[in-house]
Amino acid sequence: VQYMAPEQLEGKDADARTDIFAFGAVLYEMATGNKAFSGATQASLISAILRDDPQPISELQPMTPPALERLVRRCLAKDPERRWQSSRDVALELEASVGTDASAPEPSGRRRARMAMAGWGVAALLLLLLLAAVLGPWARRRTTAAPPVRFTILPATGSPVGGALALSPDGRSLAFVGTTADGRDLVFIRPLDSLEARVLNGTDEAAFPFWSPDGRALAFFARGKLKRIDAAGGAPQTLCDAPGARGGAWSAGMIVFSSDVGGQMKIVSEAGGGARPLEQLISRNGEQYRWPNFLPDGRHFLYFAFGSDATRTGVFVTSLDSKVTTRLASGDSGAAYASPGYLLYRSGDQLVRQPFDARRLRLTGDAVPLVENIWWDAISTWATAFSVSEGGVLAYQTGGVTLSRLLWYDRSGREMGAIGPPGAYIEPALSPDGRWLAMTRGDQRAMGSSIWTVDLERGNFTRLSFERAATPVWSPDSRRIAYCSFPSGEIWARDIHGAEKEKLLHKAPSFSPLDDWSRDGRYLVHEVVDWKTFHFDIGLLDLQNGTERRLLTEPFNQMGARLSPDGRWLAYESAESGDHEIFIRSFPEAKDRRQISAGGGSQPRWRGDGKELFFISPDRKLMAVDVRTEPAFSAGNPHVLFQTRILPLVEARNHYDVTADGRRFVVNSRRPEDASLPITVVVGSMPERRK
């Protein structure tokens, strides 16, 4: 790249004048000992070649003859029309420069300069002859730029997860999350010059990997943590807490990342330690910030913001050194910078490319479609499945908006039928009487979600809420549903038949996901963000007297709480050991703590009689535990019921529910066509798909 001409970097036709530029760069380096162009990264190097002039040779070597300075400067002209047009032109100029008048004596200084010029001229001529011999035939043959090379990656060892892919900065390797045959999500690395992808052990439950600037390490999210691992392998290192991953970017010893705790953007050292929020991206009005990507200078970064109106939603840019934020485009997911000056982002169902001035931080032209039907997660993360390297290598997945299916299973894992068509579903919840199913349903156009119900006897779907809402829980009489609206943080209850108007139960400072409603109707269990530690605690809303208190408060995540049918026990998941495990505590005292799972667990559910507890293992197996509450609490060993096809665990808080008799399960399942999305890689110029 150090010796490539601007027209090569822009994907334009190359000719002999392109070689003249390379010759000038080599001659400059011979004269000064320095590269003509430099940059901290490949992207910044490309930017320097396109826009900057090298430091004058005479400033580095005062004895440089002016003729040599002029010759090199013209070789390095940005516009091919302003360069020497052939190697013969350069040779003639060198001959003219070293010619002498033997009859006229010269001052000693000028004589030394002319002798130096002659020496440089001989060296330059020899180099020119060498370049002409080696590159001349190639330059004559190549009249147009080589077409881009495309190929598809679908490893047999790990089916790629949608949206979790990242090209290394040099574009030579692709990291992606793949699901193994036994249901584990692991990070794989595929060198582009290899036919095999290798797994990085220790990356279980991984999501959204991204590279270090030097390409020697990877960061990824797993089990509510941000971790790093050497690309060559080894044990991962935990950097900080990061529940609900929403992307990260690495630059200059620091990592910027997003999680769904309040929708804030945070920063942490690449060596680990406490994360702190970026002051300019603290959610004050319910905004959410996701998918950061650094620009070539390593200080400015792109991100996606989702706010209450169009002016607060789209692709933005800010800096680690400034509180200023600037809206760039109206995309609906994260964006990335591509050399030599483009912004790539999703618009509609297309991946588009738009000219972008990274110095002035502004778009300079119209967006052009690159890829149709680009994959996009409309359910919860709003991730778009593409990555681009500093040099312009592109990787992407197609498949449109991700959807799931609500499927019935028996205890053996036999599929027993579907509930409605495929959709953007999360958080299914069966009513206590078994007649209804509530769910959160994504809305692609509104970029949000709302609460829906389906009558399981008749099969008709009905929309319950008309604001952005999530986490439905049923009242004990199966008549009402409580849910949390966002970004307001308000907890509402609505009669499913519309006889009772919507009733405000509680106003929280931010989104407070609901977990359960006690059988006696008195308590709502919900999750609360601890703004000092950025963790989830478990809160208790007493509907009888209107009070709210923290039930479980610790410096780690505690979430997903479920009350036993008799109201005496609380099952929940906790990250106190570093991994999420299922625990039991007495209720309402929250004492007598017991660990139920071993090796990880999430999403606990009780059988209707309280004699069995279910949860999901890290490899997506549905587990069951026999439970006794009389005369004292005791639990058996967890055992596997069946392997599920639920979405990656980072996507939502729950993906299944169980009937009161414990014989049937409704599972929010991946569609077969979404379970293994191939990755397309484009090496070379990114072709435009014009309308």
Side-chain angles (χ1 to χ4, degrees), residues 53-54 68 73 105 116 143 176 218 503 566 612 615 633 671:
D53 292 322
L68 178 62
R73 185 167 60 246
T143 57
F176 63 92
L218 282 158
K503 181 181 180 181
D566 62 8
E612 195 172 24
F615 65 90
F633 182 89
R671 299 183 303 169

Side-chain angles (χ1 to χ4, degrees), residues 126-179:
L126 290 172
L127 181 60
L128 185 62
L129 291 171
L130 176 63
L131 288 170
V134 174
L135 300 179
W138 168 81
R140 288 192 296 272
R141 287 196 306 269
R142 193 183 64 168
T143 57
T144 60
V149 176
R150 296 173 181 263
F151 58 92
T152 299
I153 294 177
L154 185 57
T157 52
S159 301
V161 172
L165 69 162
L167 281 162
S168 60
D170 62 9
R172 295 182 178 183
S173 296
L174 176 70
F176 63 92
V177 175
T179 303

Side-chain angles (χ1 to χ4, degrees), residues 24 202 385 447:
M447 289 196 67

Side-chain angles (χ1 to χ4, degrees), residues 321-658:
D321 310 316
S322 171
K323 297 180 182 178
V324 177
T325 63
T326 304
R327 186 175 183 272
L328 298 175
S330 58
D332 44 25
S333 187
Y337 177 82
S339 296
Y342 294 100
L343 214 62
L344 272 63
Y345 60 93
R346 182 184 184 274
S347 180
D349 65 346
Q350 299 172 329
L351 179 67
V352 301
R353 181 182 70 183
Q354 190 165 2
F356 176 68
D357 188 331
R359 285 188 172 183
R360 299 182 180 182
L361 302 178
R362 66 182 185 185
L363 296 167
T364 58
D366 296 331
V368 175
L370 289 180
V371 179
E372 296 277 6
N373 203 32
I374 192 75
W375 184 94
W376 183 61
D377 172 25
I379 294 180
S380 61
T381 66
W382 308 329
T384 299
F386 80 96
S387 177
V388 62
S389 74
E390 291 178 352
V393 178
L394 175 66
Y396 62 87
Q397 293 169 293
T398 56
V401 177
T402 183
L403 301 174
S404 61
R405 300 210 68 185
L406 297 169
L407 302 176
W408 283 110
Y409 291 89
D410 64 13
R411 291 179 68 94
S412 69
R414 180 173 62 91
E415 187 177 321
M416 302 173 64
I419 302 172
Y425 306 123
I426 54 174
E427 302 164 341
L430 287 165
S431 61
D433 63 8
R435 168 75 185 271
W436 301 85
L437 180 73
M439 74 208 71
T440 303
R441 192 171 184 178
D443 186 339
Q444 179 182 0
R445 291 170 296 179
M447 289 196 67
S449 61
S450 54
I451 307 301
W452 288 67
T453 62
V454 57
D455 185 333
L456 296 177
E457 293 182 2
R458 302 174 59 191
N460 55 307
F461 282 71
T462 303
R463 184 168 182 168
L464 187 74
S465 72
F466 290 88
E467 72 272 40
R468 296 187 181 116
T471 64
V473 299
W474 287 91
S475 63
D477 60 5
S478 301
R479 297 277 302 180
R480 293 185 296 162
I481 291 176
Y483 59 88
C484 184
S485 64
F486 61 90
S488 68
E490 296 169 332
I491 297 175
W492 297 87
R494 179 185 282 275
D495 190 289
I496 63 170
H497 299 293
E500 180 185 331
K501 291 185 65 176
E502 200 169 44
K503 181 181 180 181
L504 178 64
L505 300 178
H506 181 63
K507 176 67 171 70
S510 65
F511 179 53
S512 298
L514 298 186
D515 289 335
D516 204 2
W517 199 329
S518 65
R519 291 291 182 91
D520 60 8
R522 178 175 177 176
Y523 297 108
L524 269 178
V525 184
H526 66 109
E527 297 168 21
V528 185
V529 177
D530 186 318
W531 292 103
K532 294 181 180 179
T533 59
F534 297 100
H535 293 89
F536 280 112
D537 291 331
I538 294 177
L540 191 65
L541 179 61
D542 191 331
L543 301 178
Q544 183 172 301
N545 55 34
T547 60
E548 193 268 343
R549 67 183 178 93
R550 302 289 176 94
L551 185 65
L552 296 178
T553 302
E554 298 289 350
F556 43 77
N557 283 314
Q558 300 176 107
M559 55 204 306
R562 294 283 168 155
L563 288 165
S564 62
D566 62 8
R568 297 176 54 202
W569 303 95
L570 185 78
Y572 65 100
E573 57 182 280
S574 170
E576 60 192 80
S577 65
D579 294 327
H580 281 237
E581 301 280 4
I582 303 299
F583 287 84
I584 296 281
R585 283 182 185 259
S586 60
F587 184 82
E589 299 86 4
K591 298 179 180 179
D592 196 20
R593 183 176 62 92
R594 313 285 184 89
Q595 182 172 338
I596 301 300
S597 63
S602 65
Q603 308 174 45
R605 298 288 184 277
W606 294 90
R607 198 169 75 190
D609 59 6
K611 295 183 178 181
E612 195 172 24
L613 188 68
F614 307 96
F615 65 90
I616 299 293
S617 68
D619 55 359
R620 298 192 182 93
K621 291 183 174 65
L622 183 62
M623 311 294 291
V625 181
D626 293 327
V627 172
R628 292 182 58 187
T629 58
E630 297 292 346
F633 182 89
S634 64
N637 293 322
H639 57 277
V640 177
L641 291 185
F642 60 90
Q643 177 74 55
T644 72
R645 298 202 315 269
I646 65 174
L647 299 172
L649 299 180
V650 70
E651 298 282 342
R653 283 173 172 77
N654 64 284
H655 284 294
Y656 79 103
D657 208 349
V658 57

